[in-house]
Structure formats: structure tokens, C-alpha cells
Amino acid sequence: MSNDTGGIDKPTPKAWFHVPEHGENSNVETRLASLEGYLTPNSRFFVRSHNPTPRIDASEWRLRIHGDGLSRALELDYAALRAMPQVAVTRAIECAGNARAFFAERYGQQAGGAQWHTGAIGVAEWSGVRLRDVLERAGITEAARDVLPVGLDEKGFARPLPVAKAMADDTLIALTMNGEQLPPDHGFPARLVVSGWLGAASIKWLGEIRVSTQALHTHWNTRDYTLAGPDYPAQPPADGIPITTMPVMSVIELDWNAELPAGEHTLRGRAFSGEGRVCRVEYAVNDAPWRDAHLETPNIPGAWVRWAFRWQATPGPHVVRIRATDENGHVQPESVPWNDHGCLYNAVIAHPVRVG
Ligand SMILES: Nc1nc2c(c(=O)[nH]1)N[C@H]1C(S)=C(S)[C@@H](COP(=O)(O)O)O[C@H]1N2
Ligand SMILES: [Mo]
């Protein structure tokens, strides 16, 4: 292993990944400067796991679907899922804690958790079975309220979602990622993909789905992955507001404190907004006024859009700022109020660049 990432199965070379400070050893963020095409290759996709990657034998594996919101319990094996109609979607998965490190910069105090910069996001083409198709096969009833997918990793990571989101067209039990069998680190043999929601909704190594007529609560929608702190009301039993969709945000394909030669450069990056679509990206270098960056195609809702601008770089230190706006008029703010878990940091970031 080239980094201290012993819980992860795939190689994590420094050319492709950063290891965030104070992370567990099953966390790596994508080095955005290493991205090339629209999709994040599986080999470079960030990994955020609360437990080491489990080794699961697909031939022994079963998905158990049960609960009082169903007419019948169901057990599906890998072959049965593969035999059902397969659907493909291109969607982002972004950790709710992406960019958490910037709370420390702004408030002089670290929010608890891995100190991610902006690389805890990736976009892939996922294919598999609609969760809705499975729930309908189990005879989901009118009274069903919450759906709890449970992971097979050591401590059984599990976070509920409401029936409406579970039944959405693009909520998948994914079996493939960018045309390959799901890699072990990303949830083999099956993971949920919950479009536009925080990454923690997209349960990996799925083993069980419980459908309840009651509101469901786990550690992961009450004590963590909530907006909690002085500016946020508690929503008992949660210590704050349980996080659902991800806000508008942009990232730049440059390392922190990147060094560039003087001369003309094309600076590139990506912008995204939960379930929606980004329609404008602006940039400002140092104190210059905001100007529009060029948006490329494709621009898939729930995934991201690539942006670019030309920059005549003169020697010295510079600061590059990027600001995205989505189709609903949401703009990246100048600041984000403190929250104890350091989630949803989507403020404009002053990115330092040194030109030699
Ligand atoms: N079973 C299980 N699913 C999980 C997790 C986990 O620790 N265990 N981590 C979640 C979190 S917090 C995120 S951000 C995404 C990360 O997905 P990735 O590792 O494929 O990038 O997976 C989610 N699904
Ligand atoms: Mo996450």
C-alpha cells in the first residue's frame, strides 16, 4: 500500500488519491487534478467506508427484504437480481462531509470527522435494478413509510430513506459501476445509489432492506449526518436536521497550493447540485470581477457539468475562486454557518495557486 489505507482493497497511489487528516483508514479522496473524462474511473473514485472493505462471495450472498410495510418477505440472490430489468443512470456520489476541512480554516476549529478537501465526490454510470421494482415484488403497501437499507460491513452501516425517494425512477440497487462489476470498495455485490442525496444514503454491501410503516431512526440519521449545532434546531430523536439532498458546489482540477508555469492555461473543474443541474459557473482570479466560465457537455442532472476558462498566469501567488449556480437559482454562498459534524460545506473556496 502506498498510503495508510489498509482497509481499502484497491491500490491508492498518491498520484490519484489524498488521505484526509483524522480519517479512518478506509477513506481516500480523489485527487481532482488527476481526472480526465466526464466519469470518474473506478480506480480513482473516492472511498468513504466506516469499516474495512468486506470480502463477500456473491454465490453465497442474499438480499433479504422484509418488514411490516410489505405484503410478503422476499429473498433474492445475485442471479435473481441480474435477471430483473436492468437500468443505467449516471449520477454523483458525494460525501456530506466533502470540504469539511474548510470549516477549520473559517472558524479556527475543526469540525469532527475526516478533514476532506474537495475530493469526496465522484460521478459514475451505475446499472442495476430499480429499488422500486424490488419493493413492488415484495408487495409494498400504502402504509409503508420508511425504507432501511443495511450494509454487511462489520458494524452494519444503515441509514433510512422515505418511501417516496426509495420509489424514485433513479434510485437503484446497483450491480455495476462504469460498466464493470461493482468493485469491492464500492459495495460488491450490490449497493444503493440514491441520486442527489448525501453519499451516506447510498448503502454499500447491501444485505437487507427493511420496509416499515413507522419512521425509522439509526445513528446515521440522528447522531451523525445531521446539521447540528447552535444555528440548527434539534429534531428529536435527531440532534439536528437529518441531511437529504446535497447543495450546489464546484471543484477545481488543481491541487491545493498548485504550482503552474507562467503563461496561458486552461483551468478546469466540475460543478454539481444534488438532484439538479448547474447552469452557470463563474470564476474570479484575485480581485478581478466575476466572469463566466465555459460549460461543457454533457450536463446530466444529479451528476456534474465540466467547466473551463483560459487564464493568463503571471508569476507570483494567486487565488482562484469558482462559484456555481443551479437551475433553481441556488448560488454557492460566501460562507456556511458552523455545524458540529462539519457537513454540507459549499461556500466559495479561495484556492491558492503559485505561478513560477
Ligand atoms: N455499508 C456501508 N455503506 C456506505 C458507507 C459505509 O461505511 N458502509 N459509507 C457511506 C458514505 S458516508 C459515503 S460518502 C459513500 C461513499 O461511497 P464510495 O466509497 O463508493 O465512494 O458510501 C456510503 N455507503
Ligand atoms: Mo459520507
Side-chain angles (χ1 to χ4, degrees), residues 45-51 93-96 120 126 150-153 156-158 177 185-187 191 198-206 225:
F45 207 97
F46 83 100
V47 179
R48 199 305 177 225
S49 301
H50 295 78
N51 301 291
I93 288 185
E94 183 184 15
C95 185
W126 311 94
V150 183
L152 292 169
D153 41 342
F157 191 77
M177 178 178 183
D185 298 313
H186 299 288
R191 87 172 299 165
L198 74 167
S202 291
I203 302 299
K204 303 191 277 190
W205 314 296
L206 202 57
Y225 300 106

